[in-house]
């Protein structure tokens, strides 16, 4: 039995996709073995090529663990795109990872990868549209409500040193951060959120040093298709942040991580809720922005030793 389905890309004939979640949750043992083999192929090939720094990679075992846990537990949705995906020699064109955060009615695009040689045949927009449909359906199933927002993490150009002429630039990011921001704003309708986003550790931590090493302060948070998803407000954003930390570092209250910049972020979210401040930066008044900047961040610690966002942000276009 085939684990792939026709994708119907207008720019690439015979394009297929494989939902790894469907293969693991609904498929036979043979289907699951096929899916695991294809996923391993993607991990050692397209994924490793796009994210070459070992400390910034999710392991194949992590993916498989999420697939075995099931999408209804807020785990990743993993989808591959290409041709002959059931064959021993699949032609892998793209890969996308996203998730719904339980109890928040919000989703997250973890990363989008399109192999360089398929530029003009498979677009990031097509992959994201496919992922968006899956996120809407999953949120309705889990939370019995419409999806309110989809968020997207990107490296902050002001904090990431990137030189187009550096032969090792892909060890920093697979695309110039400002170029990616220009792309997602123009092509995906993304808008920047108006608070100091801090990504908590992506793994459980037991010591302050582990927290410091895991925190990433070099990211911005954007909202995908902000003109479409207009009902999202500060309380939804706060629930997203809380549930994202719960899903990654297992901390149900980010403040318990006792990291100053995370506390500052939570103070900003609290202020946004109390004063009904819009979450989109472009919709905030200068006075509202100043109020948020005045939220305290007591005794900031030095920056983490981790230099770049382990989120592997928005790899589309690599």
């Amino acid at each position: 039995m085939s684990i792939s389905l026709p994708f119907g890309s207008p720019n690439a004939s015979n394009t297929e996709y494989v939902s790894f979640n469907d293969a693991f949750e609904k498929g036979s043992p043979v289907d699951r073995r096929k899916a695991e083999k294809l996923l391993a192929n993607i991990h050692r090939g397209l994924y490793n090529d796009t994210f070459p720094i070992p400390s910034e990679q999710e392991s194949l075992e992590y993916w498989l663990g999420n697939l075995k846990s099931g999408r209804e537990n807020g785990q990743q949705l993993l989808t591959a795109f290409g041709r002959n995906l059931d064959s021993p020699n699949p032609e892998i064109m793209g890969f996308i990872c996203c998730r719904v955060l339980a109890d928040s009615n919000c989703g997250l695009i973890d990363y989008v990868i399109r192999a360089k040689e398929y530029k003009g045949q498979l677009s990031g927009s097509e992959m994201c549209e496919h992922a968006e449909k899956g996120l809407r359906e999953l949120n309705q199933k889990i939370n019995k409500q419409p999806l309110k927002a989809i968020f997207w993490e990107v490296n902050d150009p002001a904090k990431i040193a990137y030189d187009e002429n550096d032969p090792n630039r892909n060890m920093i990011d697979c695309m110039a951060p400002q170029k990616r921001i220009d792309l997602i704003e123009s092509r995906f309708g993304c808008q920047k959120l108006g608070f100091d986003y801090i990504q908590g550790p992506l793994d459980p931590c037991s010591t302050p040093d582990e927290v410091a090493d895991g925190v990433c302060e070099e990211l911005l948070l954007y909202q995908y298709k902000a003109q479409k998803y207009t009902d999202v407000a500060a309380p939804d954003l706060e629930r997203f942040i809380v549930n994202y930390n719960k899903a990654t570092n297992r901390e149900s209250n980010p403040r318990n991580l006792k990291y100053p910049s995370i506390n500052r972020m939570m103070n900003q979210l609290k202020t946004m809720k109390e004063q009904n401040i819009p979450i989109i930066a472009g919709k905030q008044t200068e006075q509202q922005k100043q109020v948020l900047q005045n939220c305290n961040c007591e005794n900031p610690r030095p920056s983490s030793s981790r230099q770049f966002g382990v989120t592997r942000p928005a790899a589309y276009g690599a």
Side-chain angles (χ1 to χ4, degrees):
M1 180 178 176
S2 174
I3 60 171
S4 64
L5 292 170
F7 182 52
S9 169
N11 298 314
S13 60
N14 302 318
T15 313
E16 306 166 346
Y17 76 91
V18 168
S19 166
F20 292 98
N21 302 81
D22 281 348
F24 272 76
E25 295 168 23
K26 303 175 183 178
S28 67
V30 172
D31 293 333
R32 288 193 290 274
R33 286 195 293 272
K34 278 187 182 180
E36 187 168 343
K37 185 175 180 180
L38 177 62
L39 198 61
N41 186 319
I42 291 169
H43 192 276
R44 67 175 174 266
L46 179 62
Y47 181 77
N48 259 301
D49 292 344
T50 306
F51 305 119
I53 303 173
S55 63
E56 296 186 1
Q57 295 172 355
E58 293 172 341
S59 67
L60 177 61
E61 290 71 26
Y62 176 75
W63 287 351
L64 293 173
N66 280 337
L67 290 168
K68 291 170 184 175
S69 294
R71 74 188 90 188
E72 291 187 35
N73 291 323
Q75 303 296 351
Q76 296 167 311
L77 300 180
L78 301 171
T79 308
F81 302 85
R83 300 187 181 99
N84 302 312
L85 295 179
D86 279 279
S87 74
N89 297 299
E91 189 177 350
I92 300 164
M93 301 169 69
F95 182 64
I96 187 168
C97 170
C98 58
R99 69 180 81 198
V100 164
L101 276 298
D103 303 321
S104 71
N105 293 312
C106 296
L108 174 71
I109 295 174
D110 290 63
Y111 42 87
V112 187
I113 308 172
R114 198 260 333 278
K116 294 178 182 178
E117 59 267 33
Y118 295 106
K119 185 175 182 179
Q121 296 186 52
L122 177 70
S123 71
S125 298
E126 290 176 301
M127 289 188 280
C128 285
E129 290 278 356
H130 182 87
E132 180 187 1
K133 181 175 182 292
L135 290 172
R136 288 201 312 265
E137 292 173 352
L138 180 56
N139 190 72
Q140 188 67 48
K141 187 173 183 179
I142 294 175
N143 297 316
K144 313 300 181 187
Q145 295 182 43
L147 188 69
K148 285 195 170 184
I150 301 172
F151 298 118
W152 198 328
E153 299 166 316
V154 297
N155 277 329
D156 184 347
K159 296 180 179 179
I160 297 294
Y162 188 91
D163 182 356
E164 290 276 12
N165 297 316
D166 183 353
N168 297 316
R169 64 188 180 279
N170 285 346
M171 298 299 286
I172 297 173
D173 201 339
C174 58
M175 181 189 294
Q178 187 57 56
K179 182 178 179 181
R180 177 182 291 109
I181 287 173
D182 293 343
L183 185 150
I184 68 170
E185 287 180 342
S186 62
R187 196 169 298 178
F188 300 97
C190 292
Q191 293 185 21
K192 180 184 173 185
L193 300 192
F195 74 116
D196 296 326
Y197 175 62
I198 307 296
Q199 184 197 67
L202 298 182
D203 297 294
C205 299
S206 56
T207 68
D209 284 343
E210 287 181 357
V211 172
D213 285 340
V215 166
C216 185
E217 299 176 316
E218 293 84 24
L219 297 174
L220 300 172
L221 194 65
Y222 275 70
Q223 185 184 339
Y224 171 77
K225 289 190 177 180
Q227 294 297 328
K228 175 178 179 178
Y229 296 97
T230 57
D231 292 337
V232 61
D236 307 298
L237 180 57
E238 182 184 55
R239 283 192 292 271
F240 166 80
I241 296 293
V242 169
N243 282 283
Y244 190 19
N245 278 272
K246 192 185 300 182
T248 53
N249 55 62
R250 300 180 189 168
E251 183 52 70
S252 59
N253 182 351
R255 293 182 187 273
N256 291 339
L257 294 167
K258 298 181 180 179
Y259 200 82
S261 57
I262 289 181
N263 289 342
R264 172 182 167 84
M265 173 180 66
M266 299 309 295
N267 289 342
Q268 288 181 329
L269 292 170
K270 180 181 178 183
T271 300
M272 291 166 78
K273 285 197 311 180
E274 293 174 345
Q275 300 190 23
N276 197 29
I277 296 175
I279 68 169
I280 301 293
K283 295 182 180 180
Q284 296 172 351
T285 66
E286 291 303 316
Q287 183 178 9
Q288 289 171 332
K289 291 177 182 178
Q290 190 59 54
V291 166
L292 294 177
Q293 285 306 306
N294 289 339
C295 287
N296 67 305
C297 180
E298 62 281 355
N299 300 319
R301 296 181 61 162
S303 295
S304 163
S305 62
R306 191 174 79 191
Q307 296 296 310
F308 314 112
V310 171
T311 53
R312 302 144 299 272
Y316 167 65

